[in-house]
Each structure stands twice: as structure tokens, then as C-alpha cells.
């Protein structure tokens, strides 16, 4: 009887309200079960949080007829669910973050907090982000040279690669444009023949240091490869407290061949993780270890303690017990290599 009564009391709070309450117990389930989840991280003691609540609720009511699983408006008490707030770096209230297919988007909402603005933001997020073309001239005319653009060439829209590109485009809609050319006859020389993998190229903006088109050489049939989710998740999980001492960047290995050569690596070894201290480059030995709890954090802390620098010059530290010593690092070719203009930059974001 008690279990039945508890269920009866809980259901109206979820079904009748346009803004559902999420906690540490149901947060992950909620963001995984819905395409879009717009979360208001609030604190009861915060005056601005109290001011936003009725506005957030009124805006959510404009989406009450959305299809199930499409869009959910949610609120989370950051004080009572500090583990979730900490995981997503919420340290001010109210904070509004959008989750798409279980992943937090790159930018939190920081625009006007009116009913109209919040509704317009969600409507914008629901728009299709990939422009599709069946004529080469139309694609070229629509391309904006002032924006970074990914262009995919596909025989049809049924491939895994096409679906992966659509998902990635949703996350990077604010940073890049995404365009697709469909049909081998419509794009001769661009669309690979049937049976071959589709083609993807990155066209940097005309503001970039090197505006030349860059072919994507990786396997974009694998979503995690196309979207650096694995790397981003590891950073959030392992080193959220190191953001002031380390800038975490993602670079295209086909562009940054020079840093790879410093590490004794080539494009065939991608993906790789390394720390560039601007004195030396230190290699994270096995990329798959990024999934081992504590490994990435240990790597960063070894930089701060001086261990990476010490082992770079003198080989691995002595080991105790039955632990096998690490293999020697490859000889440094740092002095033999001249600096290259394609250094890391956050100005034109050419490495994205």
C-alpha cells in the first residue's frame, strides 16, 4: 500500500508540470532518454533563481505538445545535488545548460532570460543544421567563406557516416557550418563510387592562417572518432581542477604533423595525447588508457611534479617490487626539427 501511494504522489509532479524536477537519482536517465533536455541549475537561496522559475515554466509550456522524447525542460537544485552540479562545472545560479542525446552542448545558455528568448533558443536548437544539396553550383553559392565549414559527399543518406555527421553537426552548429552534397552524378569527382566510404573535407575560413581545404582521413563511421567525446569526457572526469594550469585542445593530426614528428609518431598512430610544455612534448603512452580511471590525471600530475621532465632526460624512474620497468622513450628529435607556423592557436580555431 505504501509503495502504491508513493507512486501516486510522484506521478502528477512529473506528468502535469512542463518543467520536471531532476536529481542525482534520475538525471542521467533523463538526459539519455530524451533528444534535448534544457536544465535550469538553481539554488533556493538565490534571488535570481527564484525570479527565473516562473519565466522558465512559462517558456516550457510552449513545447507541451512536442513529441515524447523530443524536448524536456528540467530543473535541478544544485545545493541538494552537488555531485551533478560539480560534474558540469556549475558554480553560479541560475545556470542553464542544454543536453543533446545525453551529452552537454559546448556552450551554456547566456542570452536574455525572457520567455520569448528561451523559447526562441530551443526552437533554434531543434532546427536541422546540415544544408543538403543535389547541385554543385548551389552548394558553392551557399558556402560562406568567412565560416569554418565541413563538407560531406555522399551517394545517399542511408549510411552510418551520414547519420554520424548529422549528430556532430548538432553539437558544433555554433562553431562551423555543415554542408552535404548528395549523388555521384551530381558531384562528379567528389562523391566516391558506390561501395566506397563517403568523403568529408574541412574548409577553413578565409581568416585562417592556412585556408586550404583539408580532407578528413579518419574513420567517421565511428561517432567517437569523429566527435572527440572520449577525450572531452576524460577531461571532465579526471582533471576538472587543472583547467587553470592546462589548456585542453583538439588538433587535426593531418595538420599538426610537425608536433607528431617530435613525438616519434605519424598519422598512422592517431589518435594520440600529448602535453606540450613549450620545452618538451610528453606522450601519453597508450591512448586506450584514457578509459582507465586515474590514468590521465596521473599523467597531468606527473607534469607538475617534474616526473615527466625527469624521465624525458634520464629514462623511467627506478621501480620497486615486481613491477616491470617501462620501455625507453624514443630519442628526442627536438633539436633537429625547426619550428613550424602551424602551432596551436585559439584565434582562428583552425585545429577544430
Amino acid at each position: 500500500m505504501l509503495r502504491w501511494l508513493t507512486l501516486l504522489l510522484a506521478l502528477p509532479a512529473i506528468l502535469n508540470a512542463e518543467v520536471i524536477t531532476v536529481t542525482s537519482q534520475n538525471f542521467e536517465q533523463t538526459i539519455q532518454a530524451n533528444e534535448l533536455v534544457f536544465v535550469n541549475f538553481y539554488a533556493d537561496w538565490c534571488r535570481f533563481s527564484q525570479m527565473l522559475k516562473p519565466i522558465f515554466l512559462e517558456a516550457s509550456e510552449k513545447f507541451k505538445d512536442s513529441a515524447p522524447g523530443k524536448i524536456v525542460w528540467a530543473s535541478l537544485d544544485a545545493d541538494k545535488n552537488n555531485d551533478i552540479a560539480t560534474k558540469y562545472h556549475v558554480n553560479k545560479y541560475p545556470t542553464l545548460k542544454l543536453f543533446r542525446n545525453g551529452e552537454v552542448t559546448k556552450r551554456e545558455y547566456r542570452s536574455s532570460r525572457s520567455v520569448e528568448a528561451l523559447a526562441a533558443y530551443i526552437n533554434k536548437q531543434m532546427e536541422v543544421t546540415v544544408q543538403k544539396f543535389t547541385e554543385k553550383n548551389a552548394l558553392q553559392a551557399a558556402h560562406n567563406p568567412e565560416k569554418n565549414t565541413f563538407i560531406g559527399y555522399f551517394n545517399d543518406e542511408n549510411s552510418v557516416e551520414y547519420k554520424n555527421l548529422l549528430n556532430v553537426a548538432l553539437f558544433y552548429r555554433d562553431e562551423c557550418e555543415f554542408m552535404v552534397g548528395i549523388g555521384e552524378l551530381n558531384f562528379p569527382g567528389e562523391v566516391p563510387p558506390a561501395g566506397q566510404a563517403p568523403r568529408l573535407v574541412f574548409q577553413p575560413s578565409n581568416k585562417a592562417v592556412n585556408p586550404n581545404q583539408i580532407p578528413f582521413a579518419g574513420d567517421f563511421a565511428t561517432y567517437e572518432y569523429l566527435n572527440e567525446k572520449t577525450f572531452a569526457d576524460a577531461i571532465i572526469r579526471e582533471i576538472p581542477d587543472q583547467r587553470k594550469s592546462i589548456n585542453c585542445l583538439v588538433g587535426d593530426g593531418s595538420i599538426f604533423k610537425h608536433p607528431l614528428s617530435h613525438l616519434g609518431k605519424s598519422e598512422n598512430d592517431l589518435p594520440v595525447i600529448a602535453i606540450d610544455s613549450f620545452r618538451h612534448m610528453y606522450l601519453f603512452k597508450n591512448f586506450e588508457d584514457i578509459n582507465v580511471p586515474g590514468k590521465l590525471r596521473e599523467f597531468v600530475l606527473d607534469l607538475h611534479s617534474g616526473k615527466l621532465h625527469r624521465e624525458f632526460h634520464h629514462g623511467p624512474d627506478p621501480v620497486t617490487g615486481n613491477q616491470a620497468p617501462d620501455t625507453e622513450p624514443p630519442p628526442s628529435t627536438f633539436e633537429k626539427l625547426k619550428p613550424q607556423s602551424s602551432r596551436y592557436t585559439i584565434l582562428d580555431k583552425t585545429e577544430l
Side-chain angles (χ1 to χ4, degrees):
M1 180 64 180
L2 180 60
R3 291 180 61 189
W4 174 82
L5 180 60
T6 302
L7 181 61
L8 184 65
L9 292 174
L11 280 174
I14 297 176
L15 296 179
N16 293 339
E18 302 305 331
V19 176
I20 69 168
T21 299
V22 289
T23 66
S24 299
Q25 284 67 45
N26 68 348
F27 185 85
E28 288 297 326
Q29 179 184 359
T30 300
I31 65 173
Q32 295 293 339
N34 298 279
E35 181 178 331
L36 293 177
V37 181
F38 196 25
V39 182
N40 172 22
F41 292 83
Y42 72 92
D44 275 333
W45 49 263
C46 172
R47 179 168 65 92
F48 298 105
S49 291
Q50 297 301 328
M51 292 170 60
L52 180 62
K53 276 187 178 181
I55 297 172
F56 197 73
L57 176 60
E58 185 177 347
S60 74
E61 291 172 350
K62 296 181 179 295
F63 298 84
K64 61 183 179 181
D65 296 326
S66 298
K70 186 69 176 178
I71 171 67
V72 166
W73 295 61
S75 62
L76 180 136
D77 187 327
D79 281 342
K80 293 181 180 178
N81 303 276
N82 184 254
D83 55 332
I84 301 296
T86 299
K87 179 178 180 179
Y88 294 104
H89 310 293
V90 176
N91 51 25
K92 60 185 183 303
Y93 312 107
T95 291
L96 301 177
K97 288 182 178 286
L98 183 72
F99 294 79
R100 187 185 298 276
N101 297 324
E103 300 175 33
V104 65
T105 55
K106 292 175 68 68
R107 296 182 182 179
E108 66 184 47
Y109 179 83
R110 293 185 177 178
S111 299
S112 172
R113 297 186 176 184
S114 66
V115 171
E116 295 73 22
L118 293 174
Y121 170 72
I122 293 300
N123 279 322
K124 181 71 174 177
Q125 294 300 316
M126 296 172 70
E127 292 178 358
V128 176
T129 55
V130 174
Q131 301 180 65
K132 185 172 62 177
F133 299 90
T134 55
E135 294 182 2
K136 189 171 184 178
N137 290 339
L139 187 153
Q140 292 173 341
H143 175 240
N144 184 349
E146 295 185 355
K147 291 189 175 182
N148 292 325
T149 306
F150 280 96
I151 307 174
Y153 295 98
F154 297 82
N155 257 301
D156 56 54
E157 303 169 46
N158 299 317
S159 66
V160 172
E161 290 90 343
Y162 185 84
K163 294 175 182 177
N164 285 341
L165 185 63
L166 292 181
N167 288 330
V168 170
L170 292 171
F171 280 94
Y172 296 97
R173 60 193 301 154
D174 295 325
E175 284 78 19
C176 301
E177 286 194 339
F178 290 81
M179 311 177 82
V180 166
I182 302 291
E184 185 178 356
L185 295 178
N186 300 327
F187 294 88
E190 300 286 3
V191 174
Q196 295 186 16
R199 181 167 174 257
L200 179 66
V201 298
F202 175 63
Q203 176 61 65
S205 76
N206 54 14
K207 303 174 185 177
V209 175
N210 180 8
N212 294 327
Q213 196 174 85
I214 305 162
F216 180 80
D219 171 26
F220 71 109
T222 304
Y223 177 66
E224 284 75 14
Y225 195 103
L226 188 60
N227 175 27
E228 68 271 12
K229 177 180 182 296
T230 303
F231 181 58
D233 284 351
I235 291 169
I236 293 172
R237 182 182 67 246
E238 299 281 343
I239 53 173
D241 57 333
Q242 301 295 314
R243 298 168 70 191
K244 291 184 178 179
S245 59
I246 286 184
N247 290 320
C248 298
L249 304 172
V250 176
D252 187 331
S254 64
I255 299 176
F256 295 107
K257 296 178 181 178
H258 192 71
L260 280 177
S261 61
H262 279 283
L263 297 164
K265 299 290 183 180
S266 69
E267 291 181 66
N268 294 329
D269 299 308
L270 296 172
V272 299
I273 297 174
I275 295 177
D276 186 355
S277 71
F278 297 99
R279 295 179 63 190
H280 303 297
M281 295 190 70
Y282 306 110
L283 178 69
F284 187 70
K285 294 181 180 178
N286 182 8
F287 181 83
E288 295 302 323
D289 283 347
I290 197 173
N291 298 309
V292 179
K295 279 288 187 179
L296 183 62
R297 182 172 184 81
E298 180 184 8
F299 180 55
V300 172
L301 295 182
D302 283 349
L303 170 73
H304 298 324
S305 70
K307 181 180 178 182
L308 294 183
H309 185 261
R310 183 172 62 251
E311 292 190 336
F312 182 89
H313 289 287
H314 305 293
D317 285 349
V319 295
T320 59
N322 297 324
Q323 182 180 355
D326 291 333
T327 57
E328 288 288 332
S332 172
T333 56
F334 190 86
E335 294 182 356
K336 301 178 183 178
L337 298 169
K338 296 181 180 180
Q340 191 187 55
S341 59
S342 295
R343 197 63 166 172
Y344 305 109
T345 175
I346 60 175
L347 296 178
D348 293 310
K349 299 184 180 178
T350 55
E351 71 275 8
L352 295 178

